[in-house]
Amino acid sequence: MSATPESPLGCTCFKLRKLTRTMSRVYDQHLAAVGLKTTQYSLLANVARAALPVAELADILATERTTLTRNLKPLIEAGWVTLNPGADGRVRMVTITPAGLAKVKSAKVAWRAAQDETERLLGRDAVRALHHQLDATLTRLLPLLDGQHHAKPA
């Protein structure tokens, strides 16, 4: 049965979630060698760029603050990041530690291997086109989230 303008093309959300779960497993396989998951590497890499308030980091990662706080807990326990008061006592700053910087450096090699494998399997042009399409789609979807913080495409 072919799709018509009146019938849905399938659940886009399901297809994207399936793709992201699969892609995360590819990266997780590589990052396991350094004891990290993809989400942990992403957090560490972003905090390594600059100390950030929790709310700002949540916006960058397009996640809820409570989810971010929960995801930071094992990184804090491992001694890779710290939560410190900001200039305004109500703000908590996420700061990477020297051990965290070392972890990011070693993990970047594993991340690069996952990225290289993805580009080899899909082709660099296809990955570039996928990134462009994802960024454009995100930009177009953000207005649907009225009143919520809007993450910027990476």
Side-chain angles (χ1 to χ4, degrees):
M1 178 172 164
S2 65
T4 65
E6 296 81 31
S7 65
L9 299 172
C11 182
T12 304
C13 184
F14 172 77
K15 288 183 178 292
L16 284 171
R17 288 179 65 95
K18 186 175 180 181
L19 175 62
T20 59
R21 284 190 301 268
T22 301
M23 187 62 66
S24 291
R25 285 196 307 267
V26 169
Y27 281 75
D28 282 346
Q29 287 173 354
H30 288 274
L31 289 166
V34 293
L36 290 177
K37 293 181 186 249
T38 304
T39 52
Q40 294 171 320
Y41 175 71
S42 179
L43 267 171
L44 285 172
N46 277 280
V47 176
R49 292 184 187 115
L52 295 167
V54 170
E56 188 177 330
L57 183 57
D59 281 347
I60 289 168
L61 298 172
T63 191
E64 297 292 326
R65 280 183 248 177
T66 55
T67 301
L68 175 58
T69 300
R70 187 172 54 249
N71 289 339
L72 284 170
K73 189 176 181 186
L75 303 182
I76 293 167
E77 290 171 355
W80 298 328
V81 298
T82 60
L83 274 181
N84 301 308
D88 176 343
R90 298 170 294 176
V91 175
R92 293 180 305 151
M93 299 292 293
V94 184
T95 306
I96 197 153
T97 65
L101 285 172
K103 183 57 97 169
V104 169
K105 186 176 179 182
S106 68
K108 189 169 185 179
V109 174
W111 173 86
R112 185 69 226 186
Q115 185 66 29
D116 288 346
E117 181 178 48
T118 300
E119 291 176 9
R120 182 178 51 75
L121 288 171
L122 300 178
R124 286 183 58 84
D125 290 340
V127 171
R128 187 177 294 109
L130 177 61
H131 287 194
H132 177 76
Q133 183 64 51
L134 292 170
D135 288 344
T137 301
L138 181 58
T139 298
R140 291 184 73 181
L141 288 174
L142 286 177
L144 297 176
L145 303 176
D146 285 339
Q148 294 187 13
H149 290 63
H150 301 305
K152 296 175 182 79

